[in-house]
Each structure stands twice: as C-alpha cells, then as structure tokens.
Amino acid sequence: MLSAEKDGCRSNSVYNPYNDRVYETKSDFSGYRFLGNSGKWFLVVDSRMKLYIIDVFSEKRIDLPPLESFKGSHFKILRDGEENVKHMQMADNDPFRDEFPHAAEDLRGRLWVEDKNGNYVVVWQFEKNQFLGFCRTGDDHYREIPTQLEVQRELRGLYDMVLKGYNLYVFATREFIRHLDLSGQDEDGFKDVSEKHRLPMWMPRLTMKERESRNQLKCIPSNKGIAVTRAGQVLLVYTFDLGTSESHRMFRLYKRDPKDLDPKTLDTWLLEVHSLGDEALFLDLGITVPADHTLGIEPNSIYFTRGDRIRHKESSCLDICVFNLITKTIKRFHGLSNFNFYDAQWFLPS
C-alpha cells in the first residue's frame, strides 16, 4: 500500500512487485492514516481521531468504538475538540492532574483479522505513553493494558509490539518479551503468559573479525524490534545503516538459546538466525509467512519499509526493499522511484 502526495493532495495506490505494476484503489482513502494491516484489512484513523477497519478492495468498513469509550483502572480518555483527545490518570479528586492531548499522528496500532470468520483484534497506543488499548469483535469499548503501573519491573515499557492472532508480544524497554493472551473473557480481557527469563534479549558479543568487518562497512545500528515466526518463536531484529555500501542497509536476526530457561544456566547470549527456511519476514507485520513463488514471496527474505512503525524516530526514512538473508543483498523497486511517497506498508491480500 503506497501513500503518495502530489500538489498538496494525498492519495493511495497498490503496488504489486510480482508484475511491477501500480494500481489505483477504487475507494478514496485520502483522509486516513494507515496504522496496521492483516490480509486485505487495514486499521486506519481519520483526522477526527476515529478508528476503522477497512477492506482496501471494496467499500466495506467496520466502525470501531470511539477512543473515549476506553475503560481502565488507571487512565481515562476524553474528547478535546473535534480532532483531538486527551488522556489523564484516574484521580477525580485532583483538580491539578496532568492532561495529555493527542492527535491522529500520535496513534500506533496493530490489527489481526481471522480469514475464515472475520473476527478481529485491534491494539493501539498513544506513542510513548503508559498504556495500550484493545478491543475484539463485538466490543463496544476498549480495555486497558498497562505498560508501567502494576507491571513486573522487567516487562515494563514498550519498544515494539507484534500481534499474532490473540497473542500480543511486547518488546519491553529492558529488552524482555512480555507475552499477553488477549482471548480472555474476564473483566481485564487478557492474561500474562510470559516466559520467566532471568536475562534480557542481549545481542551476542562480536568477535574481533566481526567488529573489524562492521567498522569497514561503517555499520550504524538504526533500529531494533521483534518478529514472531509461524511456530511462535520470538526473533530480535537489528537493522543497520551502511555508510559505504550501495545497499545502504543490513539486517541481523537473533533468537534465545533454549538453555536460557534452564535454572542451572548462569549466562546465555542470543543465537544468530542465519536462515528462515522456506519463510519470509514482513517487518511491517512483525511475522513470518510461507514463501510462495507464485505470489512473488521469496524465501529467506525480509520485506522492509521503515523501522519505526511503532516507535517513531525523527531521522527515519522510507526504504521499500527486500533483503535476502542468505546472500546479504538488497533488492529495490526502481519503478517506484518516480513517485513521491510519504509512507508505504507491505500487506498480503487474502
């Protein structure tokens, strides 16, 4: 999905890399910001801070609950004019409590839609704030997931998140993984099912040869996040900017050593993942999918657009590319060079 701007007007189109063609969408999506996607469905927000799920190939739209329907034990959300909302802590007796205003640009989100029955889960956050909101099919309000208050110390904060089915994986700021099951039917609607690791997801020490190689390439770490494989294994994804290479970008994947859960293990480092097998990683979604040559999905490849989908960076730039994990080469799509895109997201129409 390509979001372009020309002469001050925004428009959306779809690019198929398999046949190198750009298609105009039938519907007008110019008033939306695209937050996340699942299959042909996109989670979007309009300028009035209203959330929807839209089918990009039809006129179908699902209206989601208003943000001010949010129900939690720590925070509440109120309207702040026609185009903004504000959140505050639950302290009705404090006339001097802080209020935090938000516009559509502050929202980050993830979406999952079940192919067979259309059931969905939506998770969103005001960037760099202390809670998440989520809803499921049929809900008339959002529930609260605290990311700081009443959360185990190692699992506090949020650097990245991936939604896979009813499983939400949060990359905490101390580099532990918080795993939440969102299928619960109780009042909170979620359950913490995180594994009990004693050590964060630390990247392994580099050998002298690796350090020299990275110095020669002028590797600069630009982003780190997580992805989840089809088998449910969490990967740590490092993105590097290269100062002396035409490819400009490099990726490294890591996973936990299985010995890390053994109480007798005193110290473990992550293991580098050199192959995804017959799978491809779509970083916009944070998941791996089966390779499919008939659809142009290449095995052992990482599909990338930008590294700050959840946590914004001032220096971020759009880079639509595919990185081959085996050959360490990058493929770009020169047919797109004539377009002025301000955003793009890979998606997999179902």
Side-chain angles (χ1 to χ4, degrees):
M1 174 62 72
L2 305 170
S3 299
E5 186 165 2
K6 183 178 182 181
D7 299 328
C9 298
R10 292 185 171 185
S11 63
N12 294 94
S13 54
V14 174
Y15 173 68
N16 186 342
Y18 185 64
N19 57 20
D20 194 30
R21 290 187 61 185
V22 175
Y23 303 85
E24 296 299 322
T25 56
K26 294 182 179 179
S27 301
D28 180 13
F29 301 134
S30 58
Y32 295 131
R33 284 187 65 249
F34 289 74
L35 302 180
N37 70 79
S38 176
K40 64 180 180 179
W41 299 94
F42 273 78
L43 173 64
V44 300
V45 60
D46 67 14
S47 61
R48 297 175 298 166
M49 293 289 281
K50 293 186 177 181
L51 288 166
Y52 310 93
I53 300 173
I54 59 173
D55 179 346
V56 296
F57 297 116
S58 75
E59 300 290 335
K60 188 171 183 180
R61 186 182 80 176
I62 301 172
D63 292 11
L64 294 173
L67 290 171
E68 55 268 31
S69 70
F70 178 87
K71 293 182 180 180
S73 56
H74 301 101
F75 299 95
K76 65 179 180 179
I77 297 175
L78 301 174
R79 270 279 148 189
D80 187 20
E82 293 186 2
E83 297 185 354
N84 296 285
V85 298
K86 58 185 177 183
H87 86 265
M88 61 195 72
Q89 281 194 280
M90 299 283 284
D92 292 333
N93 59 347
D94 182 3
F96 303 106
R97 62 187 171 184
D98 292 330
E99 298 180 351
F100 302 90
H102 303 285
E105 291 75 16
D106 300 323
L107 267 179
R108 302 290 182 266
R110 291 292 192 188
L111 171 68
W112 172 74
V113 180
E114 171 61 49
D115 288 335
K116 295 181 179 179
N117 56 28
N119 288 340
Y120 62 81
V121 182
V122 170
V123 181
W124 54 260
Q125 181 199 37
F126 298 126
E127 187 181 9
K128 300 181 182 179
N129 273 281
Q130 299 182 38
F131 63 93
L132 300 167
F134 81 99
C135 74
R136 300 176 300 227
T137 305
D139 287 347
D140 61 1
H141 66 279
Y142 299 102
R143 293 179 172 90
E144 178 186 58
I145 301 176
T147 58
Q148 293 286 349
L149 300 174
E150 299 181 4
V151 178
Q152 182 181 328
R153 181 171 176 266
E154 292 82 359
L155 302 179
R156 292 175 188 165
L158 184 149
Y159 198 86
D160 193 14
M161 63 178 175
V162 171
L163 182 62
K164 181 178 172 62
Y166 288 100
N167 293 285
L168 178 65
Y169 300 86
V170 175
F171 187 29
T173 50
R174 293 180 181 270
E175 302 190 24
F176 285 86
I177 301 299
R178 186 183 182 195
H179 181 188
L180 303 177
D181 179 355
L182 305 185
S183 64
Q185 300 302 317
D186 56 4
E187 184 177 355
D188 290 335
F190 71 91
K191 180 180 180 181
D192 193 320
V193 291
S194 308
E195 292 183 335
K196 304 301 181 183
H197 292 280
R198 292 179 295 107
L199 298 172
M201 291 192 75
W202 285 329
M203 191 173 72
R205 297 185 182 98
L206 298 178
T207 65
M208 181 67 71
K209 184 177 181 180
E210 288 174 328
R211 286 198 295 268
E212 291 176 353
S213 174
R214 292 193 181 184
N215 287 336
Q216 291 175 357
L217 293 173
K218 295 184 179 181
C219 287
I220 303 172
S222 63
N223 192 71
K224 60 183 174 182
I226 58 170
V228 182
T229 67
R230 297 176 67 207
Q233 184 173 52
V234 178
L235 303 178
L236 181 62
V237 183
Y238 270 87
T239 307
F240 296 89
D241 290 337
L242 306 182
T244 60
S245 171
E246 291 183 359
S247 63
H248 305 307
R249 195 174 300 280
M250 182 174 65
F251 299 86
R252 289 290 185 268
L253 306 181
Y254 300 93
K255 64 180 181 180
R256 279 199 181 275
D257 189 326
K259 296 184 297 183
D260 189 63
L261 287 172
D262 187 339
K264 297 180 182 179
T265 302
L266 299 177
D267 188 12
T268 59
W269 295 90
L270 299 182
L271 304 175
E272 185 165 4
V273 177
H274 297 284
S275 172
L276 290 171
D278 198 29
E279 295 184 19
L281 169 58
F282 283 76
L283 277 181
D284 286 336
L285 306 174
I287 61 173
T288 64
V289 300
D292 190 331
H293 293 285
T294 62
L295 298 177
I297 303 175
E298 303 173 6
N300 269 310
S301 295
I302 300 174
Y303 288 73
F304 180 83
T305 57
R306 66 190 323 140
D308 63 345
R309 189 67 58 190
I310 298 300
R311 194 178 178 100
H312 179 69
K313 294 177 65 177
E314 294 296 334
S315 60
S316 173
C317 62
L318 191 64
D319 185 10
I320 305 171
C321 63
V322 180
F323 179 81
N324 188 290
L325 197 59
I326 302 299
T327 63
K328 303 295 189 290
T329 56
I330 277 191
K331 178 173 71 175
R332 289 187 172 84
F333 306 95
H334 300 292
L336 299 176
S337 58
N338 295 326
F339 293 85
N340 182 26
F341 302 119
Y342 66 89
D343 198 10
Q345 288 190 43
W346 289 105
F347 74 106
L348 300 164
S350 53

Short mmCIF file of all heavy atoms in Angstrom, two decimals, residues 244-277:
data_model
loop_
_atom_site.label_atom_id
_atom_site.label_comp_id
_atom_site.label_asym_id
_atom_site.label_seq_id
_atom_site.Cartn_x
_atom_site.Cartn_y
_atom_site.Cartn_z
N THR A 244 29.05 2.86 3.60
CA THR A 244 29.93 2.72 2.43
C THR A 244 29.41 1.70 1.43
O THR A 244 30.16 1.20 0.62
CB THR A 244 31.33 2.27 2.88
OG1 THR A 244 31.22 1.00 3.55
CG2 THR A 244 31.95 3.29 3.82
N SER A 245 28.14 1.40 1.47
CA SER A 245 27.60 0.37 0.59
C SER A 245 26.43 0.89 -0.21
O SER A 245 25.63 1.69 0.28
CB SER A 245 27.16 -0.85 1.41
OG SER A 245 26.47 -1.77 0.60
N GLU A 246 26.30 0.42 -1.45
CA GLU A 246 25.18 0.83 -2.28
C GLU A 246 23.86 0.28 -1.75
O GLU A 246 22.80 0.83 -2.03
CB GLU A 246 25.40 0.37 -3.72
CG GLU A 246 26.53 1.09 -4.45
CD GLU A 246 26.64 0.65 -5.89
OE1 GLU A 246 25.84 -0.22 -6.28
OE2 GLU A 246 27.50 1.18 -6.61
N SER A 247 23.94 -0.80 -0.99
CA SER A 247 22.70 -1.38 -0.45
C SER A 247 22.17 -0.57 0.72
O SER A 247 20.98 -0.62 1.02
CB SER A 247 22.94 -2.83 -0.01
OG SER A 247 23.88 -2.88 1.05
N HIS A 248 23.03 0.17 1.41
CA HIS A 248 22.63 1.10 2.47
C HIS A 248 22.08 0.46 3.72
O HIS A 248 21.94 1.13 4.74
CB HIS A 248 21.59 2.12 1.97
CG HIS A 248 22.02 2.88 0.76
ND1 HIS A 248 23.22 3.55 0.69
CD2 HIS A 248 21.39 3.08 -0.43
CE1 HIS A 248 23.31 4.13 -0.49
NE2 HIS A 248 22.23 3.85 -1.19
N ARG A 249 21.73 -0.81 3.70
CA ARG A 249 21.02 -1.39 4.82
C ARG A 249 21.38 -2.86 5.00
O ARG A 249 21.65 -3.57 4.04
CB ARG A 249 19.50 -1.25 4.61
CG ARG A 249 18.67 -1.48 5.86
CD ARG A 249 17.22 -1.17 5.57
NE ARG A 249 17.03 0.21 5.13
CZ ARG A 249 16.97 1.24 5.96
NH1 ARG A 249 17.11 1.06 7.26
NH2 ARG A 249 16.78 2.46 5.48
N MET A 250 21.37 -3.32 6.26
CA MET A 250 21.67 -4.71 6.56
C MET A 250 20.83 -5.13 7.76
O MET A 250 20.48 -4.31 8.61
CB MET A 250 23.17 -4.87 6.86
CG MET A 250 23.61 -6.30 7.14
SD MET A 250 25.41 -6.40 7.30
CE MET A 250 25.66 -5.41 8.78
N PHE A 251 20.51 -6.42 7.83
CA PHE A 251 19.67 -6.94 8.90
C PHE A 251 20.36 -8.11 9.58
O PHE A 251 21.08 -8.88 8.95
CB PHE A 251 18.31 -7.41 8.36
CG PHE A 251 17.50 -6.32 7.72
CD1 PHE A 251 17.68 -6.00 6.39
CD2 PHE A 251 16.56 -5.62 8.45
CE1 PHE A 251 16.94 -5.00 5.78
CE2 PHE A 251 15.81 -4.62 7.86
CZ PHE A 251 16.00 -4.31 6.53
N ARG A 252 20.11 -8.26 10.88
CA ARG A 252 20.56 -9.42 11.63
C ARG A 252 19.41 -9.90 12.51
O ARG A 252 18.72 -9.10 13.13
CB ARG A 252 21.77 -9.07 12.51
CG ARG A 252 23.06 -8.82 11.74
CD ARG A 252 23.59 -10.11 11.12
NE ARG A 252 24.87 -9.93 10.47
CZ ARG A 252 25.04 -9.64 9.19
NH1 ARG A 252 23.97 -9.46 8.42
NH2 ARG A 252 26.24 -9.50 8.67
N LEU A 253 19.21 -11.22 12.54
CA LEU A 253 18.16 -11.84 13.34
C LEU A 253 18.77 -12.69 14.44
O LEU A 253 19.78 -13.37 14.23
CB LEU A 253 17.26 -12.73 12.46
CG LEU A 253 16.63 -12.10 11.22
CD1 LEU A 253 15.78 -13.13 10.50
CD2 LEU A 253 15.80 -10.89 11.58
N TYR A 254 18.14 -12.67 15.62
CA TYR A 254 18.62 -13.45 16.76
C TYR A 254 17.44 -14.10 17.47
O TYR A 254 16.31 -13.61 17.42
CB TYR A 254 19.38 -12.55 17.74
CG TYR A 254 20.59 -11.88 17.15
CD1 TYR A 254 20.50 -10.60 16.59
CD2 TYR A 254 21.83 -12.51 17.14
CE1 TYR A 254 21.61 -9.98 16.03
CE2 TYR A 254 22.94 -11.90 16.59
CZ TYR A 254 22.82 -10.64 16.04
OH TYR A 254 23.92 -10.03 15.49
N LYS A 255 17.72 -15.22 18.14
CA LYS A 255 16.72 -15.91 18.93
C LYS A 255 17.34 -16.33 20.26
O LYS A 255 18.57 -16.36 20.41
CB LYS A 255 16.20 -17.15 18.20
CG LYS A 255 17.25 -18.23 17.97
CD LYS A 255 16.67 -19.42 17.24
CE LYS A 255 17.74 -20.51 17.04
NZ LYS A 255 17.18 -21.69 16.32
N ARG A 256 16.51 -16.66 21.22
CA ARG A 256 17.01 -17.10 22.51
C ARG A 256 17.60 -18.50 22.41
O ARG A 256 17.11 -19.35 21.66
CB ARG A 256 15.90 -17.11 23.56
CG ARG A 256 15.61 -15.72 24.17
CD ARG A 256 14.86 -15.88 25.47
NE ARG A 256 14.52 -14.61 26.08
CZ ARG A 256 15.33 -13.92 26.87
NH1 ARG A 256 16.54 -14.36 27.11
NH2 ARG A 256 14.93 -12.78 27.42
N ASP A 257 18.63 -18.73 23.19
CA ASP A 257 19.18 -20.07 23.35
C ASP A 257 18.19 -20.88 24.19
O ASP A 257 17.76 -20.41 25.25
CB ASP A 257 20.54 -19.99 24.07
CG ASP A 257 21.28 -21.32 24.08
OD1 ASP A 257 20.62 -22.37 24.16
OD2 ASP A 257 22.52 -21.29 24.03
N PRO A 258 17.78 -22.08 23.74
CA PRO A 258 16.83 -22.89 24.54
C PRO A 258 17.32 -23.14 25.97
O PRO A 258 16.50 -23.34 26.87
CB PRO A 258 16.75 -24.20 23.75
CG PRO A 258 17.11 -23.83 22.35
CD PRO A 258 18.14 -22.74 22.48
N LYS A 259 18.64 -23.11 26.19
CA LYS A 259 19.17 -23.33 27.53
C LYS A 259 18.85 -22.19 28.49
O LYS A 259 19.02 -22.32 29.69
CB LYS A 259 20.69 -23.52 27.47
CG LYS A 259 21.14 -24.75 26.72
CD LYS A 259 22.66 -24.92 26.79
CE LYS A 259 23.38 -23.76 26.13
NZ LYS A 259 24.85 -23.95 26.14
N ASP A 260 18.35 -21.08 27.95
CA ASP A 260 18.12 -19.90 28.78
C ASP A 260 17.07 -20.14 29.86
O ASP A 260 17.08 -19.49 30.90
CB ASP A 260 17.69 -18.73 27.89
CG ASP A 260 17.64 -17.42 28.64
OD1 ASP A 260 18.71 -16.98 29.12
OD2 ASP A 260 16.54 -16.84 28.77
N LEU A 261 16.13 -21.08 29.62
CA LEU A 261 15.10 -21.38 30.61
C LEU A 261 15.55 -22.39 31.65
O LEU A 261 14.85 -22.63 32.63
CB LEU A 261 13.84 -21.91 29.91
CG LEU A 261 13.01 -20.86 29.15
CD1 LEU A 261 11.91 -21.53 28.35
CD2 LEU A 261 12.42 -19.84 30.10
N ASP A 262 16.73 -22.98 31.45
CA ASP A 262 17.26 -23.94 32.42
C ASP A 262 17.79 -23.18 33.63
O ASP A 262 18.68 -22.32 33.50
CB ASP A 262 18.40 -24.74 31.76
CG ASP A 262 18.89 -25.88 32.65
OD1 ASP A 262 18.66 -25.84 33.87
OD2 ASP A 262 19.50 -26.82 32.11
N PRO A 263 17.27 -23.44 34.83
CA PRO A 263 17.73 -22.70 36.02
C PRO A 263 19.21 -22.89 36.34
O PRO A 263 19.80 -22.09 37.06
CB PRO A 263 16.85 -23.26 37.15
CG PRO A 263 16.36 -24.58 36.65
CD PRO A 263 16.24 -24.43 35.16
N LYS A 264 19.82 -23.93 35.78
CA LYS A 264 21.25 -24.16 36.01
C LYS A 264 22.13 -23.31 35.11
O LYS A 264 23.36 -23.24 35.32
CB LYS A 264 21.57 -25.65 35.80
CG LYS A 264 20.86 -26.58 36.77
CD LYS A 264 21.22 -28.04 36.49
CE LYS A 264 20.48 -28.97 37.44
NZ LYS A 264 20.81 -30.40 37.17
N THR A 265 21.54 -22.70 34.11
CA THR A 265 22.30 -21.86 33.18
C THR A 265 22.54 -20.50 33.81
O THR A 265 21.60 -19.81 34.19
CB THR A 265 21.55 -21.69 31.85
OG1 THR A 265 21.33 -22.99 31.27
CG2 THR A 265 22.37 -20.86 30.88
N LEU A 266 23.81 -20.11 33.92
CA LEU A 266 24.15 -18.86 34.58
C LEU A 266 24.18 -17.68 33.62
O LEU A 266 23.89 -16.55 34.00
CB LEU A 266 25.52 -18.98 35.27
CG LEU A 266 25.61 -20.05 36.36
CD1 LEU A 266 27.04 -20.12 36.91
CD2 LEU A 266 24.63 -19.76 37.47
N ASP A 267 24.54 -17.92 32.36
CA ASP A 267 24.70 -16.80 31.44
C ASP A 267 24.53 -17.30 30.01
O ASP A 267 25.22 -18.23 29.58
CB ASP A 267 26.09 -16.17 31.61
CG ASP A 267 26.23 -14.89 30.82
OD1 ASP A 267 25.21 -14.39 30.33
OD2 ASP A 267 27.36 -14.39 30.69
N THR A 268 23.61 -16.73 29.28
CA THR A 268 23.42 -17.11 27.88
C THR A 268 23.31 -15.86 27.03
O THR A 268 22.88 -14.81 27.48
CB THR A 268 22.15 -17.95 27.68
OG1 THR A 268 21.01 -17.20 28.12
CG2 THR A 268 22.22 -19.26 28.42
N TRP A 269 23.69 -16.01 25.76
CA TRP A 269 23.54 -14.94 24.78
C TRP A 269 22.62 -15.41 23.69
O TRP A 269 22.39 -16.62 23.52
CB TRP A 269 24.91 -14.56 24.21
CG TRP A 269 25.84 -13.98 25.23
CD1 TRP A 269 26.71 -14.66 26.02
CD2 TRP A 269 25.97 -12.61 25.58
NE1 TRP A 269 27.36 -13.80 26.85
CE2 TRP A 269 26.94 -12.53 26.60
CE3 TRP A 269 25.36 -11.43 25.14
CZ2 TRP A 269 27.33 -11.33 27.19
CZ3 TRP A 269 25.75 -10.23 25.71
CH2 TRP A 269 26.71 -10.18 26.73
N LEU A 270 22.09 -14.50 22.93
CA LEU A 270 21.23 -14.87 21.82
C LEU A 270 22.02 -15.59 20.74
O LEU A 270 23.22 -15.37 20.58
CB LEU A 270 20.56 -13.63 21.23
CG LEU A 270 19.65 -12.82 22.15
CD1 LEU A 270 19.04 -11.66 21.37
CD2 LEU A 270 18.57 -13.68 22.76
N LEU A 271 21.33 -16.42 20.00
CA LEU A 271 21.92 -17.13 18.86
C LEU A 271 21.49 -16.44 17.58
O LEU A 271 20.32 -16.10 17.40
CB LEU A 271 21.45 -18.59 18.84
CG LEU A 271 21.71 -19.41 20.11
CD1 LEU A 271 21.08 -20.80 19.96
CD2 LEU A 271 23.20 -19.52 20.37
N GLU A 272 22.44 -16.23 16.66
CA GLU A 272 22.08 -15.60 15.40
C GLU A 272 21.32 -16.58 14.51
O GLU A 272 21.66 -17.75 14.42
CB GLU A 272 23.31 -15.08 14.66
CG GLU A 272 22.96 -14.30 13.41
CD GLU A 272 24.10 -13.47 12.85
OE1 GLU A 272 25.22 -13.54 13.40
OE2 GLU A 272 23.85 -12.75 11.86
N VAL A 273 20.30 -16.06 13.85
CA VAL A 273 19.50 -16.85 12.91
C VAL A 273 20.00 -16.56 11.51
O VAL A 273 19.87 -15.44 11.01
CB VAL A 273 18.00 -16.50 13.04
CG1 VAL A 273 17.18 -17.27 12.02
CG2 VAL A 273 17.51 -16.77 14.45
N HIS A 274 20.58 -17.56 10.87
CA HIS A 274 21.15 -17.37 9.54
C HIS A 274 20.19 -17.75 8.42
O HIS A 274 20.46 -17.47 7.25
CB HIS A 274 22.44 -18.18 9.40
CG HIS A 274 23.53 -17.74 10.35
ND1 HIS A 274 24.26 -16.60 10.15
CD2 HIS A 274 23.96 -18.31 11.51
CE1 HIS A 274 25.14 -16.46 11.14
NE2 HIS A 274 24.98 -17.48 11.97
N SER A 275 19.09 -18.41 8.77
CA SER A 275 18.15 -18.83 7.74
C SER A 275 16.74 -18.86 8.33
O SER A 275 16.53 -19.26 9.48
CB SER A 275 18.52 -20.21 7.21
OG SER A 275 17.52 -20.71 6.35
N LEU A 276 15.78 -18.45 7.51
CA LEU A 276 14.36 -18.56 7.87
C LEU A 276 13.72 -19.76 7.20
O LEU A 276 12.50 -19.94 7.30
CB LEU A 276 13.61 -17.29 7.45
CG LEU A 276 13.92 -16.02 8.24
CD1 LEU A 276 13.27 -14.81 7.57
CD2 LEU A 276 13.45 -16.14 9.69
N GLY A 277 14.54 -20.58 6.54
CA GLY A 277 13.99 -21.73 5.84
C GLY A 277 13.09 -21.27 4.71
O GLY A 277 13.39 -20.32 3.98
#
